[in-house]
Amino acid sequence: MNAPTKISFSQGINMALDEALAADPNVFLLGEDIADAQGGGVFKATLGLSAKHGTDRVRSTPISEQAIVGAAVGAAITGMRPVAEIMFMNFLTVCMDQLVNHAAKLRFMSGGLTSVPLTIRCGTGAGVGFGGQHSDMLEAWFAHVPGMKVVTASNPADAKGLLLSAIEDDDPTLFIENVAMYAAQGAPPEPGYKVPLGKAAIRRAGGDVTIITYGRPVGEVEAVAETLAAEGISAEVIDLRTIAPFDEAAVLNSVAKTGRAVIVHEAVKAFGVGAEISSRIHEELFGQLKSPVKRVGSKYSPVPFSPPLEQAFLYSRAEIAAAVKATMG
Amino acid sequence: MSKTATAASQNAALLNQFYRDMLLIRRFEERAGQLYGMGLIGGFCHLYIGQEAVVVGMQAATEPGDQVITAYRDHGHMLACGMEPAGVMAELTGRSGGYSKGKGGSMHMFSREKNFYGGHGIVGAQVPLGTGLAFANRYRGNDRVSLTYFGDGAANQGQVYESFNMAAVWKLPVVYVIENNQYAMGTAISRSTSETHLYKRGVSFNIPGEEVDGMDVEAVYAAGRKAVEHCRAGNGPYILEMRTYRYRGHSMSDPAKYRTKEEVQEMREKHDPIEGLRTKILAAGAADEAALKALDKEIKDTVSAAAEFAQMSPEPDPKELWTEIYA
Ligand SMILES: Cc1ncc(C[n+]2csc(CCOP(=O)(O)OP(=O)(O)O)c2C)c(N)n1
Ligand SMILES: [Mg+2]
């Protein structure tokens, strides 16, 4: 059998789920319409898995997010490894209690007697016209909760490797998928391929400025770095992969070298993950910085429906380039 | 058939009104589907085709000032409330002439003037909001009733039951209209729901419930009047389970592999609410073929004008991103 030369982001997710189901009988999937008879997931990430592993292990649920996540937490504290699909990140708000008050805290509040090896997958992202209640990037909300891990991938192989690690991890992990990337193609990973949680990747080496980002903007930042190189600016691009807890060593080592930093994310800039990273850089490296750290994010507005407004809402390559140039003075 | 429904069926003007209102929704939705296919509408677009009798019958049972709130399959509700087809269509195309100036899209529109309170995309979340509309009515003692619509899938959300209890305890004037079209995206109701007779969902809250043929506009109207009067008289909430059917996919991108073509065909051919009423109108002599043909033309023109407006209305200015976030 010939291995494919490219796979899509959703295929990467599918591979991780398939391997996890095959490897461990404690793994099961639940979510709305995820079994094949209901379409194999709205984004087709679970397509074929119920046929292969059975509907006992790949279960379509009622539209009941509190019960989905609550039941997943309950099963997890007995040692199972549920992977729950919450169709859109905005719907996490419906089951926030189960995540924040239960999943994230049970290990600590039980003095280490319980653990919640739960993975929650959700899609989201602006740029595809899904409007105000289906597009928000809320990673900072969850990163702010001690006990939760937050992960996102910038390419299909990482999606596979990170998701597999998340499922095997003993803590509750939120895995964020950008809906604009499900069809994105990339090199296929080897069977068994895993990406460790908590470790960033250096996507491009450079000496003048460090650009820290994650998820969909990684590709945009790489493209900007390429054009900046032509203008004589050498940017180092860091893909965090795990947003919380983030790889401080990778970030601080790079910024110690370059003396300049820009943080880019799709979430609105105000009160975002970029603010935390910027603060950590200032706290640790203030004396070595050549210019203040800059942040690029989307505008402080609900995500609008109309395409031109939605584009105006989103961060842009021009804004990334301008932020980098501002740090260069 | 109840006495009220019999009386209604004798009323030619009412039958013609039902026919006109349902046909407007049908033609509007067909055109929206076309514009979506042409790439003029993006994102989600959930069509109401097949379910027209529900909103039309219910709206006829209300009085001016009564309120309506629903989920994302909302175009029919807005038209039934008397909102302008052009303003709705222009919101679908994301233009400045749309009801939400292009900021909301298909799922998020409002009209204070017509007492339409949205247009909501989080399944089930409009149910507590609709309960709150009723709370405000009761508090103000203004006699108004809230029609709170939701689907069979939404009936499995916890917040629905918190709302039922509160509405019953406080005797809030809200009619919960469950549009049971038998599917929630790709999930047939029998797969996800232990008690599929949703009108019984109020039993443990002492809320009366009734099952209604939602493909028969007169039956809807009769049940609607009874439920609305119950609420207006201060007797608390009421549940109507409308048995209905959506002909199209969940949204425009749905390949609909979870049901057979024959099932859809059977509903279209044997239970279509518009065809059914048309036959009745002709048989009763409430209108003749020529009159119905003229009406069809008039509605087509209205919908064409709406589609035209939706394409000509300018895109919103990017500055609009910064407006209407705070008061
Ligand atoms: C809280 C929440 N969960 C899931 C969804 C995704 N979703 C949108 S519509 C829908 C099906 C709802 O079915 P139903 O209530 O029967 O209404 P219908 O579409 O049939 O009108 C689902 C699961 C959502 N929008 N909100
Ligand atoms: Mg339904």
Side-chain angles (χ1 to χ4, degrees), chain A residues 33 38 63-65 129 133 305-306, chain B residues 94 102 121 156-157 185-187:
Chain A
D33 284 4
Q38 290 76 48
I63 313 173
S64 307
E65 283 78 7
Q133 294 181 336
F305 167 70
S306 169
Chain B
N156 292 324
Q157 278 286 339
M185 296 185 99
T187 300

Side-chain angles (χ1 to χ4, degrees), chain A residues 16 33 58-59 61 109 111 123 133 139 162 165 172 183 190 210 215 238 247 266 290 299-301 306 316 322 329:
Chain A
D33 284 4
V58 180
R59 270 179 196 252
T61 64
M109 294 191 308
Q133 294 181 336
E139 67 271 20
L162 285 164
S165 296
E190 297 293 322
T210 305
I238 296 184
D247 189 347
E266 178 177 329
K290 295 170 185 153
K299 314 303 178 294
Y300 199 55
S301 157
S306 169
S316 68

Side-chain angles (χ1 to χ4, degrees), chain A residues 267-312:
Chain A
V268 296
K269 184 167 104 177
F271 299 94
V273 166
E276 170 66 16
I277 297 173
S278 168
S279 259
R280 290 296 299 133
I281 294 170
H282 283 107
E283 283 165 356
E284 297 298 322
L285 298 172
F286 187 69
Q288 288 152 263
L289 288 177
K290 295 170 185 153
S291 61
V293 176
K294 299 289 281 182
R295 292 177 292 149
V296 177
S298 294
K299 314 303 178 294
Y300 199 55
S301 157
V303 181
F305 167 70
S306 169
L309 283 188
E310 199 181 21
Q311 286 310 313

Side-chain angles (χ1 to χ4, degrees), chain A residues 33 37-38 42 62-65 87-88 90-91 94 128-130 132-134 299-302 304-306 308-309 312-313, chain B residues 42-44 91-92 94 102-105 107-108 120-122 153 156-157 185-187 191-192 258 315-317 321-322 325:
Chain A
D33 284 4
Q38 290 76 48
V42 271
I63 313 173
S64 307
E65 283 78 7
M87 204 180 287
F88 281 92
N90 281 89
F91 312 161
V94 176
V128 287
F130 287 170
Q133 294 181 336
H134 288 75
K299 314 303 178 294
Y300 199 55
S301 157
F305 167 70
S306 169
L309 283 188
F313 163 83
Chain B
F44 293 117
E91 190 60 34
L92 302 191
K103 294 179 173 188
M107 302 191 285
H108 308 295
H120 300 275
I122 305 298
N156 292 324
Q157 278 286 339
M185 296 185 99
T187 300
R191 285 181 170 272
S192 62
Y258 47 82
E315 308 261 22
D317 189 298
L321 191 60
W322 299 105
I325 297 169

